[in-house]
Amino acid sequence: MSTIESLEEFYQNKFDFLPDNLQKDMGHFNVFKLEDCLGDDKPPMNYSRRDFYKIALNRGHNIYHYADKSVEINGTALMFFNPQVPYTWELASGNIADVRGYFCIFTEAFFNEKMRGHIGDLPMFALGGKPAYVLDQQQDQLISSVFEKMLEEINSDYIYKYDLLRNYTTEITHFALKSNPSEALYKHPDANSRITAVFTELLERQFPIENTSQRFTMRSAKDYARQLSVHVNHLNRAIKETTGRTTTHYISERLLSEAKALLKHTDWNIAEIGYCLGFEEPTHFNNFFKKLTNHTPTSFRIV
């Protein structure tokens, strides 16, 4: 079953501690050697979503399961993972002790406060994108050297080290943008995961709401089942099995998240926001919001 691993759970599972900078307003960033996070005393990596971005350089014969794709790579792979899509990897052959590499994790706020646009719009992080890049020996050395600089910088006392770390991460993404992602698809993790991944992509395509003429229209499980050409009961079972939530709950949570963002970050009136989110009457929006938050949209806005 797919769950969402938080930053706190990541650190507790891998290292049994929480870093001091976990809650900084500037966002969070950290970098690791892969071998330091593996071993018999470490819990296995579950097929799940995370609430942070991840870039990994892995060496060996491995299979990467990512949304509706599985990529088998024997060599060095540069992988990009976003918070919207569940993923995991498994050892295809050899010994786990032979696995070597690096990875960095970071929150959306770490980048979006300092860059134009949205990091999730980059092709390697976009929903439905291709996250795997196979590297030759020279490329492996190049990216490894950037990760080594990250490891050195994260432990320094340099006052602007996070700006430098942001630049190193950007350097890796630009390297990937100039390269060709792997097309070596292996198999779907399972049918339920595939359906859930495509459903999630359809849902996310409708956000963010950027102007009052834009409207969220696919509000029911039947709408998505129709688009996916599956029976609504089949869709509901797949999403329940994969996420632990009902389809209606999943849609409502995303709708509520967008409603909160619009209430806090726009000057649109309540009727406009409700209409954009697919509610025909302001009272319907008020009832929806109050049921899930115990606040009216107006009272939430002024808190």
Short mmCIF file of all heavy atoms in Angstrom, two decimals, residues 188-246:
data_model
loop_
_atom_site.label_atom_id
_atom_site.label_comp_id
_atom_site.label_asym_id
_atom_site.label_seq_id
_atom_site.Cartn_x
_atom_site.Cartn_y
_atom_site.Cartn_z
N HIS A 188 5.17 -2.74 -15.22
CA HIS A 188 4.43 -1.96 -14.24
C HIS A 188 4.60 -2.61 -12.87
O HIS A 188 4.60 -3.82 -12.76
CB HIS A 188 2.94 -1.92 -14.59
CG HIS A 188 2.66 -1.22 -15.87
ND1 HIS A 188 3.12 0.04 -16.14
CD2 HIS A 188 1.96 -1.60 -16.97
CE1 HIS A 188 2.71 0.41 -17.35
NE2 HIS A 188 2.02 -0.57 -17.87
N PRO A 189 4.72 -1.83 -11.79
CA PRO A 189 4.78 -2.42 -10.45
C PRO A 189 3.55 -3.29 -10.20
O PRO A 189 3.66 -4.41 -9.74
CB PRO A 189 4.80 -1.21 -9.52
CG PRO A 189 5.31 -0.08 -10.37
CD PRO A 189 4.81 -0.37 -11.75
N ASP A 190 2.38 -2.81 -10.53
CA ASP A 190 1.14 -3.58 -10.50
C ASP A 190 0.05 -2.70 -11.08
O ASP A 190 0.21 -1.48 -11.21
CB ASP A 190 0.79 -4.05 -9.08
CG ASP A 190 0.64 -2.90 -8.10
OD1 ASP A 190 -0.33 -2.14 -8.26
OD2 ASP A 190 1.48 -2.76 -7.20
N ALA A 191 -1.08 -3.31 -11.43
CA ALA A 191 -2.14 -2.58 -12.12
C ALA A 191 -2.73 -1.48 -11.25
O ALA A 191 -3.04 -0.39 -11.73
CB ALA A 191 -3.23 -3.56 -12.56
N ASN A 192 -2.89 -1.74 -9.95
CA ASN A 192 -3.46 -0.73 -9.06
C ASN A 192 -2.57 0.51 -9.00
O ASN A 192 -3.07 1.65 -9.01
CB ASN A 192 -3.65 -1.30 -7.65
CG ASN A 192 -4.79 -2.30 -7.59
OD1 ASN A 192 -5.67 -2.29 -8.44
ND2 ASN A 192 -4.77 -3.16 -6.60
N SER A 193 -1.26 0.31 -8.91
CA SER A 193 -0.33 1.44 -8.86
C SER A 193 -0.38 2.24 -10.15
O SER A 193 -0.30 3.47 -10.14
CB SER A 193 1.10 0.96 -8.60
OG SER A 193 1.19 0.31 -7.35
N ARG A 194 -0.50 1.53 -11.28
CA ARG A 194 -0.56 2.22 -12.57
C ARG A 194 -1.79 3.11 -12.65
O ARG A 194 -1.72 4.28 -13.03
CB ARG A 194 -0.57 1.20 -13.71
CG ARG A 194 -0.63 1.83 -15.10
CD ARG A 194 -0.78 0.78 -16.18
NE ARG A 194 -2.04 0.07 -16.07
CZ ARG A 194 -3.21 0.53 -16.52
NH1 ARG A 194 -3.26 1.71 -17.11
NH2 ARG A 194 -4.30 -0.18 -16.38
N ILE A 195 -2.95 2.55 -12.28
CA ILE A 195 -4.19 3.31 -12.35
C ILE A 195 -4.12 4.52 -11.42
O ILE A 195 -4.53 5.63 -11.77
CB ILE A 195 -5.39 2.42 -11.99
CG1 ILE A 195 -5.61 1.39 -13.11
CG2 ILE A 195 -6.66 3.24 -11.77
CD1 ILE A 195 -6.66 0.35 -12.78
N THR A 196 -3.59 4.31 -10.20
CA THR A 196 -3.50 5.40 -9.24
C THR A 196 -2.59 6.50 -9.74
O THR A 196 -2.88 7.69 -9.58
CB THR A 196 -3.01 4.88 -7.88
OG1 THR A 196 -3.91 3.88 -7.40
CG2 THR A 196 -2.93 6.01 -6.86
N ALA A 197 -1.48 6.12 -10.36
CA ALA A 197 -0.54 7.11 -10.88
C ALA A 197 -1.17 7.96 -11.98
O ALA A 197 -1.02 9.19 -12.01
CB ALA A 197 0.72 6.42 -11.40
N VAL A 198 -1.90 7.32 -12.88
CA VAL A 198 -2.53 8.07 -13.97
C VAL A 198 -3.67 8.93 -13.43
O VAL A 198 -3.87 10.08 -13.86
CB VAL A 198 -3.04 7.11 -15.07
CG1 VAL A 198 -3.71 7.89 -16.19
CG2 VAL A 198 -1.88 6.30 -15.63
N PHE A 199 -4.44 8.40 -12.47
CA PHE A 199 -5.49 9.19 -11.82
C PHE A 199 -4.89 10.44 -11.17
O PHE A 199 -5.42 11.56 -11.32
CB PHE A 199 -6.20 8.34 -10.77
CG PHE A 199 -6.92 9.14 -9.72
CD1 PHE A 199 -8.15 9.73 -9.97
CD2 PHE A 199 -6.36 9.32 -8.46
CE1 PHE A 199 -8.81 10.48 -9.00
CE2 PHE A 199 -7.00 10.06 -7.49
CZ PHE A 199 -8.23 10.65 -7.75
N THR A 200 -3.78 10.27 -10.45
CA THR A 200 -3.13 11.39 -9.78
C THR A 200 -2.67 12.44 -10.78
O THR A 200 -2.81 13.64 -10.55
CB THR A 200 -1.93 10.90 -8.95
OG1 THR A 200 -2.39 9.93 -8.00
CG2 THR A 200 -1.27 12.06 -8.20
N GLU A 201 -2.16 11.97 -11.93
CA GLU A 201 -1.71 12.91 -12.95
C GLU A 201 -2.89 13.70 -13.50
O GLU A 201 -2.81 14.92 -13.68
CB GLU A 201 -1.00 12.18 -14.08
CG GLU A 201 -0.51 13.12 -15.18
CD GLU A 201 0.31 12.41 -16.23
OE1 GLU A 201 0.59 11.22 -16.07
OE2 GLU A 201 0.68 13.08 -17.21
N LEU A 202 -4.02 13.03 -13.77
CA LEU A 202 -5.21 13.72 -14.26
C LEU A 202 -5.69 14.76 -13.26
O LEU A 202 -6.09 15.87 -13.63
CB LEU A 202 -6.33 12.72 -14.53
CG LEU A 202 -6.21 11.85 -15.78
CD1 LEU A 202 -7.34 10.82 -15.82
CD2 LEU A 202 -6.22 12.70 -17.04
N LEU A 203 -5.65 14.41 -11.98
CA LEU A 203 -6.08 15.33 -10.94
C LEU A 203 -5.17 16.55 -10.88
O LEU A 203 -5.62 17.70 -10.85
CB LEU A 203 -6.11 14.60 -9.59
CG LEU A 203 -6.49 15.42 -8.35
CD1 LEU A 203 -7.91 15.97 -8.46
CD2 LEU A 203 -6.34 14.57 -7.09
N GLU A 204 -3.85 16.31 -10.86
CA GLU A 204 -2.89 17.40 -10.70
C GLU A 204 -2.83 18.31 -11.91
O GLU A 204 -2.44 19.48 -11.78
CB GLU A 204 -1.50 16.83 -10.40
CG GLU A 204 -1.35 16.25 -9.01
CD GLU A 204 -1.55 17.29 -7.92
OE1 GLU A 204 -1.21 18.47 -8.15
OE2 GLU A 204 -2.04 16.92 -6.84
N ARG A 205 -3.20 17.81 -13.08
CA ARG A 205 -3.18 18.66 -14.28
C ARG A 205 -4.12 19.85 -14.16
O ARG A 205 -3.95 20.85 -14.86
CB ARG A 205 -3.59 17.82 -15.50
CG ARG A 205 -2.50 16.95 -16.10
CD ARG A 205 -3.06 16.19 -17.28
NE ARG A 205 -2.11 15.23 -17.81
CZ ARG A 205 -2.41 14.35 -18.75
NH1 ARG A 205 -3.64 14.34 -19.28
NH2 ARG A 205 -1.51 13.50 -19.19
N GLN A 206 -5.09 19.76 -13.29
CA GLN A 206 -6.08 20.82 -13.16
C GLN A 206 -5.65 21.93 -12.20
O GLN A 206 -6.37 22.90 -12.02
CB GLN A 206 -7.41 20.22 -12.68
CG GLN A 206 -7.95 19.17 -13.65
CD GLN A 206 -9.21 18.52 -13.13
OE1 GLN A 206 -10.31 19.06 -13.28
NE2 GLN A 206 -9.05 17.38 -12.50
N PHE A 207 -4.47 21.78 -11.62
CA PHE A 207 -3.96 22.77 -10.67
C PHE A 207 -2.58 23.24 -11.11
O PHE A 207 -1.88 22.54 -11.84
CB PHE A 207 -3.89 22.15 -9.27
CG PHE A 207 -5.21 21.68 -8.74
CD1 PHE A 207 -5.52 20.33 -8.71
CD2 PHE A 207 -6.16 22.59 -8.30
CE1 PHE A 207 -6.75 19.90 -8.24
CE2 PHE A 207 -7.38 22.16 -7.83
CZ PHE A 207 -7.69 20.81 -7.79
N PRO A 208 -2.17 24.42 -10.63
CA PRO A 208 -2.90 25.32 -9.74
C PRO A 208 -3.96 26.14 -10.49
O PRO A 208 -3.86 26.32 -11.71
CB PRO A 208 -1.81 26.23 -9.20
CG PRO A 208 -0.81 26.29 -10.31
CD PRO A 208 -0.82 24.92 -10.93
N ILE A 209 -4.94 26.66 -9.76
CA ILE A 209 -5.93 27.59 -10.31
C ILE A 209 -5.28 28.96 -10.33
O ILE A 209 -4.92 29.50 -9.28
CB ILE A 209 -7.21 27.62 -9.45
CG1 ILE A 209 -7.81 26.21 -9.32
CG2 ILE A 209 -8.21 28.61 -10.03
CD1 ILE A 209 -8.39 25.65 -10.59
N GLU A 210 -5.09 29.53 -11.51
CA GLU A 210 -4.29 30.75 -11.63
C GLU A 210 -5.10 31.99 -11.98
O GLU A 210 -4.58 33.10 -11.89
CB GLU A 210 -3.19 30.53 -12.66
CG GLU A 210 -2.20 29.44 -12.24
CD GLU A 210 -1.13 29.20 -13.26
OE1 GLU A 210 -1.45 29.19 -14.47
OE2 GLU A 210 0.04 29.02 -12.87
N ASN A 211 -6.35 31.84 -12.38
CA ASN A 211 -7.19 33.01 -12.65
C ASN A 211 -8.65 32.62 -12.46
O ASN A 211 -9.00 31.44 -12.41
CB ASN A 211 -6.93 33.56 -14.06
CG ASN A 211 -7.19 32.52 -15.14
OD1 ASN A 211 -8.32 32.12 -15.37
ND2 ASN A 211 -6.11 32.08 -15.80
N THR A 212 -9.51 33.62 -12.36
CA THR A 212 -10.91 33.38 -12.03
C THR A 212 -11.72 32.78 -13.18
O THR A 212 -12.86 32.39 -12.98
CB THR A 212 -11.58 34.69 -11.57
OG1 THR A 212 -11.40 35.69 -12.58
CG2 THR A 212 -10.99 35.18 -10.27
N SER A 213 -11.12 32.70 -14.36
CA SER A 213 -11.83 32.07 -15.48
C SER A 213 -11.51 30.57 -15.59
O SER A 213 -12.15 29.85 -16.34
CB SER A 213 -11.47 32.76 -16.80
OG SER A 213 -10.09 32.64 -17.07
N GLN A 214 -10.51 30.13 -14.83
CA GLN A 214 -10.13 28.72 -14.83
C GLN A 214 -11.07 27.96 -13.89
O GLN A 214 -11.45 28.46 -12.84
CB GLN A 214 -8.69 28.58 -14.35
CG GLN A 214 -8.12 27.16 -14.42
CD GLN A 214 -6.68 27.11 -13.95
OE1 GLN A 214 -6.02 28.16 -13.83
NE2 GLN A 214 -6.18 25.92 -13.68
N ARG A 215 -11.44 26.72 -14.25
CA ARG A 215 -12.39 25.99 -13.42
C ARG A 215 -12.02 24.53 -13.28
O ARG A 215 -11.64 23.88 -14.25
CB ARG A 215 -13.81 26.11 -14.00
CG ARG A 215 -14.86 25.73 -12.96
CD ARG A 215 -16.23 26.24 -13.35
NE ARG A 215 -17.13 26.12 -12.20
CZ ARG A 215 -18.36 25.66 -12.26
NH1 ARG A 215 -18.87 25.28 -13.42
NH2 ARG A 215 -19.11 25.59 -11.18
N PHE A 216 -12.13 24.04 -12.06
CA PHE A 216 -11.93 22.62 -11.76
C PHE A 216 -13.22 21.88 -12.09
O PHE A 216 -14.27 22.17 -11.52
CB PHE A 216 -11.58 22.49 -10.27
CG PHE A 216 -11.39 21.07 -9.81
CD1 PHE A 216 -10.29 20.33 -10.20
CD2 PHE A 216 -12.32 20.47 -8.97
CE1 PHE A 216 -10.11 19.03 -9.77
CE2 PHE A 216 -12.15 19.17 -8.52
CZ PHE A 216 -11.05 18.45 -8.93
N THR A 217 -13.15 20.93 -13.01
CA THR A 217 -14.39 20.31 -13.49
C THR A 217 -14.50 18.83 -13.17
O THR A 217 -15.61 18.31 -13.07
CB THR A 217 -14.51 20.48 -15.02
OG1 THR A 217 -13.34 19.93 -15.65
CG2 THR A 217 -14.63 21.96 -15.39
N MET A 218 -13.36 18.13 -13.02
CA MET A 218 -13.42 16.68 -12.77
C MET A 218 -13.48 16.44 -11.26
O MET A 218 -12.47 16.22 -10.61
CB MET A 218 -12.22 15.99 -13.40
CG MET A 218 -12.20 16.09 -14.92
SD MET A 218 -10.74 15.34 -15.67
CE MET A 218 -10.97 13.62 -15.22
N ARG A 219 -14.70 16.47 -10.71
CA ARG A 219 -14.85 16.46 -9.26
C ARG A 219 -15.31 15.12 -8.70
O ARG A 219 -15.35 14.94 -7.50
CB ARG A 219 -15.83 17.56 -8.83
CG ARG A 219 -15.35 18.96 -9.19
CD ARG A 219 -16.22 20.04 -8.57
NE ARG A 219 -16.21 19.93 -7.11
CZ ARG A 219 -17.29 19.86 -6.35
NH1 ARG A 219 -18.48 19.84 -6.91
NH2 ARG A 219 -17.20 19.78 -5.04
N SER A 220 -15.66 14.17 -9.55
CA SER A 220 -16.18 12.89 -9.05
C SER A 220 -15.35 11.73 -9.57
O SER A 220 -14.65 11.84 -10.59
CB SER A 220 -17.63 12.70 -9.47
OG SER A 220 -17.72 12.41 -10.86
N ALA A 221 -15.44 10.61 -8.87
CA ALA A 221 -14.74 9.39 -9.30
C ALA A 221 -15.18 8.97 -10.69
O ALA A 221 -14.38 8.48 -11.49
CB ALA A 221 -14.99 8.28 -8.29
N LYS A 222 -16.48 9.18 -11.00
CA LYS A 222 -16.98 8.80 -12.32
C LYS A 222 -16.30 9.59 -13.43
O LYS A 222 -16.06 9.08 -14.53
CB LYS A 222 -18.49 9.01 -12.38
CG LYS A 222 -19.29 8.01 -11.56
CD LYS A 222 -20.79 8.22 -11.73
CE LYS A 222 -21.58 7.20 -10.94
NZ LYS A 222 -23.04 7.40 -11.06
N ASP A 223 -15.99 10.86 -13.16
CA ASP A 223 -15.30 11.69 -14.17
C ASP A 223 -13.96 11.07 -14.55
O ASP A 223 -13.60 11.01 -15.73
CB ASP A 223 -15.08 13.10 -13.63
CG ASP A 223 -16.38 13.86 -13.43
OD1 ASP A 223 -17.34 13.60 -14.17
OD2 ASP A 223 -16.43 14.72 -12.52
N TYR A 224 -13.21 10.61 -13.54
CA TYR A 224 -11.88 10.05 -13.79
C TYR A 224 -11.98 8.66 -14.40
O TYR A 224 -11.18 8.30 -15.28
CB TYR A 224 -11.07 10.03 -12.49
CG TYR A 224 -10.76 11.41 -11.99
CD1 TYR A 224 -11.63 12.07 -11.13
CD2 TYR A 224 -9.62 12.09 -12.41
CE1 TYR A 224 -11.37 13.36 -10.69
CE2 TYR A 224 -9.35 13.38 -11.99
CZ TYR A 224 -10.23 14.01 -11.12
OH TYR A 224 -9.98 15.29 -10.70
N ALA A 225 -12.94 7.87 -13.94
CA ALA A 225 -13.14 6.53 -14.50
C ALA A 225 -13.46 6.63 -15.99
O ALA A 225 -12.97 5.82 -16.81
CB ALA A 225 -14.26 5.82 -13.75
N ARG A 226 -14.26 7.61 -16.36
CA ARG A 226 -14.61 7.82 -17.76
C ARG A 226 -13.36 8.15 -18.57
O ARG A 226 -13.16 7.63 -19.68
CB ARG A 226 -15.64 8.94 -17.87
CG ARG A 226 -16.28 9.06 -19.25
CD ARG A 226 -17.32 10.18 -19.27
NE ARG A 226 -18.34 9.98 -18.25
CZ ARG A 226 -18.52 10.77 -17.20
NH1 ARG A 226 -17.72 11.83 -17.02
NH2 ARG A 226 -19.47 10.52 -16.32
N GLN A 227 -12.52 9.02 -18.05
CA GLN A 227 -11.29 9.40 -18.76
C GLN A 227 -10.32 8.23 -18.88
O GLN A 227 -9.61 8.10 -19.87
CB GLN A 227 -10.60 10.53 -18.00
CG GLN A 227 -11.23 11.89 -18.16
CD GLN A 227 -10.96 12.48 -19.53
OE1 GLN A 227 -11.81 12.46 -20.41
NE2 GLN A 227 -9.77 12.99 -19.73
N LEU A 228 -10.30 7.36 -17.87
CA LEU A 228 -9.37 6.23 -17.85
C LEU A 228 -9.95 4.99 -18.52
O LEU A 228 -9.25 3.97 -18.63
CB LEU A 228 -9.00 5.90 -16.40
CG LEU A 228 -8.24 6.99 -15.64
CD1 LEU A 228 -8.11 6.63 -14.17
CD2 LEU A 228 -6.87 7.21 -16.26
N SER A 229 -11.22 5.07 -18.91
CA SER A 229 -11.90 3.93 -19.56
C SER A 229 -11.91 2.70 -18.67
O SER A 229 -11.64 1.57 -19.11
CB SER A 229 -11.23 3.61 -20.91
OG SER A 229 -11.31 4.71 -21.78
N VAL A 230 -12.19 2.90 -17.38
CA VAL A 230 -12.33 1.80 -16.43
C VAL A 230 -13.64 2.00 -15.69
O VAL A 230 -14.19 3.10 -15.64
CB VAL A 230 -11.16 1.72 -15.43
CG1 VAL A 230 -9.84 1.50 -16.15
CG2 VAL A 230 -11.09 2.98 -14.56
N HIS A 231 -14.15 0.92 -15.10
CA HIS A 231 -15.36 1.04 -14.30
C HIS A 231 -15.04 1.79 -13.02
O HIS A 231 -13.96 1.63 -12.44
CB HIS A 231 -15.92 -0.36 -13.97
CG HIS A 231 -17.31 -0.33 -13.43
ND1 HIS A 231 -17.60 -0.03 -12.11
CD2 HIS A 231 -18.51 -0.55 -14.03
CE1 HIS A 231 -18.90 -0.07 -11.92
NE2 HIS A 231 -19.48 -0.38 -13.07
N VAL A 232 -15.96 2.60 -12.56
CA VAL A 232 -15.70 3.42 -11.38
C VAL A 232 -15.39 2.56 -10.16
O VAL A 232 -14.57 2.94 -9.31
CB VAL A 232 -16.89 4.38 -11.11
CG1 VAL A 232 -18.14 3.59 -10.70
CG2 VAL A 232 -16.52 5.39 -10.03
N ASN A 233 -15.99 1.39 -10.04
CA ASN A 233 -15.69 0.51 -8.91
C ASN A 233 -14.26 0.00 -8.96
O ASN A 233 -13.60 -0.15 -7.92
CB ASN A 233 -16.66 -0.68 -8.87
CG ASN A 233 -18.08 -0.25 -8.55
OD1 ASN A 233 -18.31 0.83 -8.02
ND2 ASN A 233 -19.05 -1.10 -8.87
N HIS A 234 -13.77 -0.25 -10.17
CA HIS A 234 -12.39 -0.70 -10.34
C HIS A 234 -11.42 0.42 -9.95
O HIS A 234 -10.41 0.18 -9.26
CB HIS A 234 -12.16 -1.11 -11.79
CG HIS A 234 -10.80 -1.64 -12.09
ND1 HIS A 234 -10.15 -2.54 -11.27
CD2 HIS A 234 -9.94 -1.38 -13.11
CE1 HIS A 234 -8.96 -2.84 -11.78
NE2 HIS A 234 -8.80 -2.13 -12.89
N LEU A 235 -11.73 1.63 -10.36
CA LEU A 235 -10.90 2.78 -9.97
C LEU A 235 -10.89 2.96 -8.46
O LEU A 235 -9.83 3.15 -7.85
CB LEU A 235 -11.43 4.04 -10.65
CG LEU A 235 -10.76 5.36 -10.23
CD1 LEU A 235 -9.31 5.39 -10.66
CD2 LEU A 235 -11.52 6.56 -10.82
N ASN A 236 -12.06 2.89 -7.85
CA ASN A 236 -12.15 3.07 -6.40
C ASN A 236 -11.35 2.02 -5.64
O ASN A 236 -10.66 2.33 -4.67
CB ASN A 236 -13.62 3.03 -5.95
CG ASN A 236 -14.38 4.26 -6.38
OD1 ASN A 236 -13.81 5.32 -6.62
ND2 ASN A 236 -15.70 4.15 -6.49
N ARG A 237 -11.43 0.77 -6.08
CA ARG A 237 -10.68 -0.30 -5.42
C ARG A 237 -9.17 -0.09 -5.57
O ARG A 237 -8.40 -0.29 -4.62
CB ARG A 237 -11.07 -1.66 -6.00
CG ARG A 237 -12.40 -2.20 -5.49
CD ARG A 237 -12.56 -3.68 -5.83
NE ARG A 237 -12.53 -3.91 -7.27
CZ ARG A 237 -13.59 -3.91 -8.05
NH1 ARG A 237 -14.80 -3.69 -7.53
NH2 ARG A 237 -13.48 -4.14 -9.35
N ALA A 238 -8.74 0.32 -6.76
CA ALA A 238 -7.30 0.52 -7.01
C ALA A 238 -6.74 1.63 -6.13
O ALA A 238 -5.67 1.50 -5.54
CB ALA A 238 -7.07 0.84 -8.49
N ILE A 239 -7.47 2.73 -6.05
CA ILE A 239 -6.99 3.87 -5.25
C ILE A 239 -7.01 3.54 -3.77
O ILE A 239 -6.08 3.88 -3.01
CB ILE A 239 -7.82 5.12 -5.57
CG1 ILE A 239 -7.53 5.56 -7.00
CG2 ILE A 239 -7.52 6.25 -4.58
CD1 ILE A 239 -8.38 6.70 -7.49
N LYS A 240 -8.03 2.84 -3.33
CA LYS A 240 -8.11 2.44 -1.92
C LYS A 240 -6.95 1.51 -1.57
O LYS A 240 -6.31 1.65 -0.51
CB LYS A 240 -9.45 1.75 -1.65
CG LYS A 240 -9.65 1.30 -0.21
CD LYS A 240 -9.81 2.48 0.72
CE LYS A 240 -10.18 2.01 2.12
NZ LYS A 240 -10.32 3.13 3.07
N GLU A 241 -6.66 0.57 -2.44
CA GLU A 241 -5.58 -0.39 -2.20
C GLU A 241 -4.22 0.30 -2.19
O GLU A 241 -3.34 -0.03 -1.39
CB GLU A 241 -5.61 -1.48 -3.27
CG GLU A 241 -4.48 -2.50 -3.17
CD GLU A 241 -4.54 -3.35 -1.91
OE1 GLU A 241 -5.66 -3.52 -1.36
OE2 GLU A 241 -3.48 -3.84 -1.48
N THR A 242 -4.03 1.27 -3.07
CA THR A 242 -2.72 1.90 -3.23
C THR A 242 -2.47 3.01 -2.21
O THR A 242 -1.35 3.16 -1.72
CB THR A 242 -2.58 2.49 -4.65
OG1 THR A 242 -2.92 1.48 -5.61
CG2 THR A 242 -1.16 2.96 -4.90
N THR A 243 -3.49 3.80 -1.90
CA THR A 243 -3.29 4.97 -1.04
C THR A 243 -3.91 4.85 0.34
O THR A 243 -3.59 5.62 1.23
CB THR A 243 -3.87 6.23 -1.70
OG1 THR A 243 -5.30 6.14 -1.71
CG2 THR A 243 -3.36 6.39 -3.12
N GLY A 244 -4.84 3.89 0.49
CA GLY A 244 -5.54 3.78 1.76
C GLY A 244 -6.68 4.76 1.90
O GLY A 244 -7.33 4.82 2.96
N ARG A 245 -6.94 5.53 0.86
CA ARG A 245 -8.01 6.54 0.89
C ARG A 245 -9.02 6.25 -0.21
O ARG A 245 -8.69 5.64 -1.21
CB ARG A 245 -7.42 7.94 0.70
CG ARG A 245 -6.56 8.41 1.87
CD ARG A 245 -5.97 9.77 1.59
NE ARG A 245 -4.89 9.70 0.60
CZ ARG A 245 -4.27 10.76 0.11
NH1 ARG A 245 -4.63 11.98 0.48
NH2 ARG A 245 -3.30 10.62 -0.76
N THR A 246 -10.25 6.73 -0.01
CA THR A 246 -11.24 6.62 -1.07
C THR A 246 -10.95 7.65 -2.15
O THR A 246 -10.26 8.65 -1.91
CB THR A 246 -12.66 6.84 -0.53
OG1 THR A 246 -12.78 8.21 -0.09
CG2 THR A 246 -12.97 5.90 0.63
#
